[in-house]
Amino acid sequence: MKDRARGAGDEAAASEFHEFFERHYDELARLAHLLSGEPDAADDLAADALLAVWHRWDRVRGADHPAAYARGILANLVRGRIRSAVRERRRMALFGARHTERVEAPDITVVVDVREALRRLPFRKRTCVVLRHAFDLSEQDTARALGISVGTVKSQTSKGMAQLERLLGDRAVAELAGGEK
């Protein structure tokens, strides 16, 4: 009898999670793309975040804001991916420094767009700006998703937008922020 009750509970949990997955997967993939700057990795990162949510679903489903929990997991996964990439680039630079060829005048086309400017922001500023302006989250929801204070969200968003303004110009930033400037 116990097994039957447990099976029914598992089915209900699986059904709830499936609904959660369907409702939030696209949002998490978009967030992963904006935070990482890697469109090819966005789906994998979103899936990994949702897998972590599934493993904790008994706790997450009872939370006040399960989507914020998922965004926080995703942000941590992206942060780890960025750190790994930086470590790998450093290793490659050390190895490659011994075998590099110098190019006197490289032909580099400079294209400034929002994604490139976002990549130049430190991770926390970028995350705050993206969650606040691209995902239209409140300061409270952003703080909850990142596990930081509302004051930190305010300061990091403000500093991030100021840095974007220096990189892109104030008109572009006003458009990014939805005409707030």
Side-chain angles (χ1 to χ4, degrees):
M1 190 71 166
K2 243 183 191 178
D3 289 338
R4 241 186 217 167
R6 174 183 259 182
D10 289 347
E11 287 178 26
S15 178
E16 286 176 14
F17 178 76
H18 181 73
E19 289 175 26
F20 180 85
F21 181 99
E22 292 295 325
R23 197 169 46 249
H24 295 286
Y25 178 80
D26 289 338
E27 170 195 344
L28 291 171
R30 190 170 138 230
L31 176 60
H33 178 204
L34 289 169
L35 293 180
S36 70
E38 299 179 42
D40 296 337
D43 287 331
D44 290 341
L45 288 162
D48 289 347
L50 285 164
L51 180 61
V53 168
W54 171 244
H55 287 298
R56 297 170 186 84
W57 187 243
D58 286 342
R59 283 182 279 157
V60 175
R61 72 197 260 202
D64 290 336
H65 303 282
Y69 187 85
R71 287 184 205 110
I73 290 173
L74 179 73
N76 287 331
L77 288 171
V78 172
R79 181 181 302 122
R81 184 177 181 91
I82 290 169
R83 286 179 178 159
S84 293
V86 167
R87 283 192 300 271
E88 182 65 22
R89 279 189 219 123
R90 286 181 183 151
R91 282 192 294 269
M92 294 301 290
L94 288 173
F95 177 74
R98 298 178 193 147
H99 306 288
T100 59
E101 294 180 22
R102 298 244 178 218
V103 176
E104 292 301 318
D107 184 19
I108 300 173
T109 304
V110 179
V111 178
V112 178
D113 65 1
V114 173
R115 284 188 203 140
E116 181 58 33
L118 282 170
R119 273 189 228 129
R120 296 173 87 182
L121 293 179
F123 185 77
R124 185 178 282 182
K125 287 179 190 172
R126 176 177 50 218
T127 306
C128 288
V129 168
V130 167
L131 288 174
R132 293 280 295 123
H133 295 290
F135 282 83
D136 226 10
L137 291 185
S138 69
E139 291 166 341
Q140 292 79 14
D141 288 341
T142 302
R144 193 175 300 115
L146 300 176
I148 58 178
S149 72
V150 171
T152 301
V153 169
K154 288 179 181 181
S155 71
Q156 292 296 295
T157 303
S158 175
K159 290 174 183 177
M161 291 301 285
Q163 191 170 348
L164 284 175
E165 189 173 309
R166 286 190 299 276
L167 294 169
L168 297 171
D170 53 347
R171 185 177 193 160
V173 171
E175 288 177 25
L176 174 67
E180 292 177 10
K181 266 210 141 225

